[in-house]
Amino acid sequence: MICLVVIAMMQAVLDMAQEEVDRGGLPFATIVVNAQGEIIARAVNTVADSHDPTDHAEIRALRIATQKLQSSDLSGHEVYAIGYPCPMCLAALKLAKPKKVYFALALKDKNKFMKQAKYALPMEQVKDKQEKALDIFKLWSSSQLKPHASTTEHVRHKRTQPASLLVRSHADF
């Protein structure tokens, strides 16, 4: 049985989505709520404005919440989204580990309104580099990373030069 708090939080998401549609935006909105029932993050889909295909409401709300908490772990938090999350957002939600995700619109109903991408992403494994990639993952796996420690914190402590110096262009290889 859905409690009144869940109904109220979902209504907040629906109100945000309605406001976005009224402004000419997309009907996607998400909030993150802490264990005390406080909204700690709210976001809408801004893909059309930012031209960033990852600017979905769920991703943006997760970014806001994790930055506020200084942790990628949202255990104990709840996420409310207007519809069943797309595969990208679902993967991000699984990584964030919220206590529960609530949504109003089922996937089959949401998909009736979505332009289905017919694009098949060409992909190919570079098998000549598989062993080196495995070596890197083995090194990472055997490192002193704590199971719930953020990779960013680990890299920050081990890095000996600024991140900007670590970025190389394709021409450098």
Side-chain angles (χ1 to χ4, degrees):
M1 177 177 229
I2 301 290
C3 74
L4 293 176
V5 172
V6 171
I7 299 293
M9 294 300 172
M10 189 55 70
Q11 186 60 52
V13 168
L14 295 172
D15 291 345
M16 288 171 56
Q18 182 65 57
E19 288 172 19
E20 276 303 295
V21 169
D22 292 347
R23 290 183 340 154
L26 300 170
F28 300 103
T30 301
I31 61 174
V32 178
V33 178
N34 67 16
Q36 292 74 39
E38 302 163 331
I39 297 173
I40 64 163
R42 59 179 74 228
V44 296
N45 182 309
T46 59
V47 170
D49 295 331
S50 70
H51 309 291
D52 177 349
T54 68
D55 257 353
H56 291 201
E58 296 92 334
I59 300 292
R60 294 185 69 235
L62 290 176
R63 287 177 183 152
I64 293 166
T66 56
Q67 287 298 307
K68 188 176 283 188
L69 298 170
Q70 291 294 292
S71 172
S72 61
D73 187 351
L74 293 179
S75 297
H77 293 72
E78 295 176 339
V79 176
Y80 295 80
I82 190 167
Y84 187 88
C86 75
M88 175 184 67
C89 294
L90 191 57
L93 286 161
K94 285 181 179 183
L95 290 170
K97 301 181 287 279
K99 177 177 148 186
K100 193 163 195 175
V101 177
Y102 294 94
F103 59 92
L105 196 59
L107 183 60
K108 67 180 178 67
D109 295 322
K110 184 175 126 182
N111 283 345
K112 292 176 187 175
F113 301 96
M114 305 300 295
K115 294 177 186 171
Q116 295 300 313
K118 302 283 188 218
Y119 178 72
L121 183 63
M123 296 178 71
E124 182 178 347
Q125 181 184 13
V126 181
K127 291 185 178 181
D128 292 350
K129 296 297 182 180
Q130 181 175 355
E131 286 303 315
K132 179 61 178 169
L134 280 170
D135 289 344
I136 292 168
F137 270 76
K138 287 175 187 173
L139 177 63
W140 169 72
S141 169
S142 66
S143 72
Q144 297 302 310
L145 268 181
K146 296 179 188 113
H148 297 292
S150 120
T151 303
T152 305
E153 288 175 22
H154 176 71
V155 170
R156 192 178 305 136
H157 293 298
K158 286 202 147 196
R159 188 178 289 143
T160 58
Q161 52 186 319
S164 60
L165 297 178
L166 296 175
V167 178
R168 297 182 191 164
S169 73
H170 184 6
D172 292 337
F173 293 99

